[in-house]
Amino acid sequence: MLRQASRTLSIRASRPGMHEITDQAVQFVNGSGIQEGLLTLFCRHTSASLVIQENAAPAARRDLERYFERVAPENGPYEHDDEGPDDMPAHLRSALTATQLSIPVEDGKLVLGTWQGIFLFEHRRNTPQRRVALHLIGE
Amino acid sequence: MLRQASRTLSIRASRPGMHEITDQAVQFVNGSGIQEGLLTLFCRHTSASLVIQENAAPAARRDLERYFERVAPENGPYEHDDEGPDDMPAHLRSALTATQLSIPVEDGKLVLGTWQGIFLFEHRRNTPQRRVALHLIGE
Amino acid sequence: MLRQASRTLSIRASRPGMHEITDQAVQFVNGSGIQEGLLTLFCRHTSASLVIQENAAPAARRDLERYFERVAPENGPYEHDDEGPDDMPAHLRSALTATQLSIPVEDGKLVLGTWQGIFLFEHRRNTPQRRVALHLIGE
């Protein structure tokens, strides 16, 4: 019998950059008892985002963070700067990555590849509290 | 009892750039009577896309539009230019943003954050009629 | 009566770049007998990704491939290079495109636009075997 479950994660990153939230997603799936289905994560912000990336090599994570600092830099010619120099680049980095991710569940497990981790990508320096909505449908 | 609803939005943007379609999505969810579920928006084009962004500051929207004009410019060294100088950049800007977005529904409402709006991002200058498929599953 | 179906595609690209997998997705939907629903494709790798793009003009595909070679180049100043010069750019190109795509199904067909094709975007030169998880829910 198909059913749904939902939860909201509250996350405060310790610094700007990528923060793994795979464990929280796995715990939510485990707690639901759903064996086959689809998990959706939705970031309720426009200056933080979601990304699935390499979870083994810290150097890969650092390169990713530096790359987005280069392609959407703080010193761009931005019109919108009321909220500080890290605000507009945060919106751009969000638009270039993902606000939402859906991951199938099989045999009670997310079908993540061996090296895939789910990350909240914090783009602001003051690292406000972030909310990520989780939705699961399946049986 | 879980069920589904679907609709296709037809949108003609008045100019290239971001056009908010949050109201149309909210009306579809409200009309369905579904209280808990998952809404998916799917853009049926490769030269327009979807993005969730700041809906309050028009300057942020303009900066986003200008950013994508810079990173995927019209004067790139493109092989594919049969359909005019704005065609290939349109495909690139689509690939860099999203063709599809899924948003959980809780208590009859999309779980959008306070400042999040859903936008159709029109990348062509002739702004053809665009179709966005909506799919909702829930109860 | 809503139900689910799932399958894993195994794909080995003949060369780096975009490889259309629309037919495999259509065959899965057809075989399921589901007429109305939502198909999700999930790429189980961090150095390959998914993209929906123009499926008619090979020049557009080549321009897309060259664009991502330029914006996330092999000769970037990367810290992570244990796995060769094409490894870190592969992660960056994955983060800029999509790991997951969901597409509504109506009347037994994916609601793809006329020119839309689903592509696996292979970012490595040794083109390892890739797995794309398919999940379908509907009735």
Side-chain angles (χ1 to χ4, degrees):
Chain A
M1 184 73 172
L2 286 165
R3 58 194 174 83
Q4 300 181 99
S6 61
R7 182 179 300 170
T8 300
L9 300 180
S10 287
I11 303 157
R12 177 162 246 144
S14 52
R15 47 160 198 82
M18 292 165 59
H19 297 270
E20 190 161 7
I21 58 170
T22 312
D23 283 355
Q24 289 97 312
V26 166
Q27 282 164 26
F28 170 63
V29 171
N30 288 348
S32 74
I34 286 176
Q35 296 293 305
E36 314 290 328
L38 186 70
L39 173 72
T40 298
L41 302 99
F42 182 84
C43 178
R44 300 179 66 177
H45 307 274
T46 60
S47 56
S49 56
L50 298 171
V51 69
I52 288 184
Q53 268 299 331
E54 167 86 34
N55 63 359
R61 182 181 53 65
R62 290 190 293 265
D63 276 332
L64 267 156
E65 294 172 358
R66 286 187 286 243
Y67 178 76
F68 283 96
E69 288 167 14
R70 281 202 303 274
V71 295
E74 294 215 353
N75 60 354
Y78 306 125
E79 179 186 358
H80 176 71
D81 60 4
D82 321 354
E83 296 175 50
D86 65 336
D87 184 47
M88 199 57 224
H91 295 309
L92 301 177
R93 294 169 197 173
S94 292
L96 290 170
T97 51
T99 294
Q100 163 266 324
L101 292 169
S102 294
I103 309 170
V105 174
E106 294 180 10
D107 296 324
K109 293 192 169 60
L110 293 166
V111 298
L112 292 168
T114 314
W115 309 109
Q116 284 184 314
I118 310 166
F119 293 84
L120 176 75
F121 203 167
E122 174 58 69
H123 303 301
R124 298 299 305 266
R125 277 202 295 265
N126 61 354
T127 66
Q129 177 101 336
R130 300 302 195 174
R131 287 170 304 159
V132 175
L134 304 183
H135 173 269
L136 178 58
I137 187 166
E139 68 185 320
Chain B
M1 183 73 172
L2 285 165
R3 57 194 175 84
Q4 300 181 99
S6 62
R7 183 181 297 172
T8 301
L9 299 181
S10 289
I11 303 156
R12 176 163 245 143
S14 52
R15 49 161 198 81
M18 290 166 61
H19 297 270
E20 190 163 7
I21 58 171
T22 313
D23 284 354
Q24 289 98 309
V26 166
Q27 281 165 26
F28 170 63
V29 172
N30 288 348
S32 74
I34 286 175
Q35 295 294 304
E36 313 290 328
L38 185 70
L39 173 71
T40 297
L41 301 99
F42 182 84
C43 178
R44 300 179 66 178
H45 307 275
T46 59
S47 55
S49 57
L50 298 170
V51 68
I52 288 183
Q53 269 299 331
E54 167 86 33
N55 64 359
R61 182 181 53 66
R62 289 191 293 266
D63 277 332
L64 266 156
E65 293 173 359
R66 284 187 289 244
Y67 177 77
F68 284 96
E69 289 166 13
R70 282 201 304 275
V71 294
E74 293 214 353
N75 60 355
Y78 306 124
E79 178 186 358
H80 176 70
D81 60 3
D82 322 352
E83 295 176 49
D86 64 336
D87 185 48
M88 199 58 225
H91 295 310
L92 301 177
R93 295 170 197 172
S94 292
L96 290 169
T97 51
T99 294
Q100 163 266 324
L101 293 168
S102 293
I103 310 169
V105 174
E106 294 180 11
D107 296 323
K109 292 191 170 60
L110 293 167
V111 298
L112 292 168
T114 314
W115 309 109
Q116 284 184 314
I118 310 166
F119 293 84
L120 175 75
F121 202 166
E122 173 60 68
H123 303 301
R124 298 300 304 266
R125 277 201 296 265
N126 62 353
T127 66
Q129 178 102 337
R130 300 301 196 174
R131 288 169 303 159
V132 175
L134 304 183
H135 173 269
L136 178 58
I137 188 166
E139 68 185 318
Chain C
M1 184 73 171
L2 286 166
R3 58 194 174 85
Q4 300 181 102
S6 62
R7 182 180 299 171
T8 301
L9 300 180
S10 288
I11 302 156
R12 176 162 245 144
S14 51
R15 47 161 199 80
M18 292 165 60
H19 297 269
E20 189 162 8
I21 59 171
T22 312
D23 284 354
Q24 289 97 311
V26 166
Q27 281 165 24
F28 170 63
V29 172
N30 288 348
S32 74
I34 286 175
Q35 294 294 303
E36 313 290 327
L38 186 70
L39 173 71
T40 297
L41 302 98
F42 182 85
C43 179
R44 301 179 66 177
H45 307 275
T46 59
S47 57
S49 57
L50 299 171
V51 69
I52 287 184
Q53 268 299 330
E54 167 86 32
N55 63 359
R61 181 181 54 66
R62 289 190 294 266
D63 277 331
L64 267 156
E65 293 172 358
R66 284 186 288 243
Y67 178 77
F68 284 96
E69 289 167 15
R70 282 202 303 276
V71 295
E74 293 214 353
N75 59 354
Y78 306 124
E79 178 187 358
H80 176 71
D81 59 3
D82 322 352
E83 296 176 49
D86 64 336
D87 184 47
M88 199 57 224
H91 294 310
L92 301 177
R93 294 170 197 173
S94 291
L96 289 170
T97 53
T99 294
Q100 164 265 327
L101 293 168
S102 294
I103 309 170
V105 174
E106 294 180 11
D107 296 324
K109 293 191 169 60
L110 293 167
V111 299
L112 292 168
T114 313
W115 310 109
Q116 283 183 313
I118 310 167
F119 293 84
L120 175 76
F121 203 165
E122 173 59 68
H123 303 302
R124 298 299 305 265
R125 276 203 296 265
N126 62 353
T127 66
Q129 177 101 336
R130 300 301 196 175
R131 287 170 303 158
V132 175
L134 304 183
H135 173 268
L136 178 58
I137 187 166
E139 67 186 318

